[in-house]
Amino acid sequence: MRIGELAERTGVSTRSLRYYEQHGLLSARRGTNGYRDYSEDDVRLVSEIRALLQIGFTLAETRPFVDCLRRGHSTGGSCAESVEVYERKLDEIDQEIRVLLARRAEVAAQLAQSCPGCFVRG
């Protein structure tokens, strides 16, 4: 399939597909006419990349998942390298939560100090 069809099937712009290709996450074969040619496997790769990006992974963090799929695994997260990325991402999210909770506590304390009768939710 050509790049336009891949874009349509995955909900990703052709520009993004070219960007993924520049970063080595997607590799198109070239037809004799010079057009990029993609397979059904590429649909899976792009879908995996898109899903990970939507939940906060960086493009670089998607590489182990893509590599895992390329090695024939049924999911991109079933390889040890992918599990490590999941674990690092969870640690990163946990840290962000701690920072947000501390920030919330500070804002609530300032509200309580500025407005002693005000109710602080949650």
Side-chain angles (χ1 to χ4, degrees):
M1 79 189 79
R2 290 201 191 148
I3 194 167
E5 184 180 348
L6 181 61
E8 186 177 312
R9 289 186 58 192
T10 58
V12 174
S13 69
T14 56
R15 183 176 179 188
S16 292
L17 294 174
R18 288 184 194 100
Y19 186 72
Y20 300 166
E21 191 175 337
Q22 285 176 337
H23 285 84
L25 295 170
L26 192 61
S27 55
R29 285 131 325 267
R30 295 283 183 160
T32 55
N33 56 7
Y35 291 144
R36 289 174 171 88
D37 186 40
Y38 297 96
S39 70
E40 285 299 317
D41 290 339
D42 295 316
V43 173
R44 274 184 73 206
L45 293 179
V46 172
S47 296
E48 182 85 7
I49 293 166
R50 184 172 189 234
L52 291 166
L53 292 174
Q54 285 180 334
I55 60 172
F57 285 75
T58 66
L59 194 60
E61 290 170 328
T62 68
R63 185 170 305 280
F65 297 87
V66 169
D67 292 344
C68 189
L69 286 173
R70 282 187 178 144
R71 289 194 304 266
H73 293 270
S74 59
T75 66
S78 60
C79 295
E81 298 86 357
S82 304
V83 171
E84 288 175 20
V85 175
Y86 274 140
E87 290 171 342
R88 279 196 309 267
K89 183 57 79 175
L90 284 173
D91 288 343
E92 180 182 306
I93 291 169
D94 288 342
Q95 178 59 31
E96 290 172 5
I97 290 169
R98 285 190 291 276
V99 167
L100 286 172
L101 287 171
R103 189 178 305 157
R104 186 194 187 288
E106 182 60 32
V107 170
Q110 288 184 18
L111 173 62
Q113 185 178 25
S114 299
C115 181
C118 291
F119 176 71
V120 178
R121 290 174 281 168

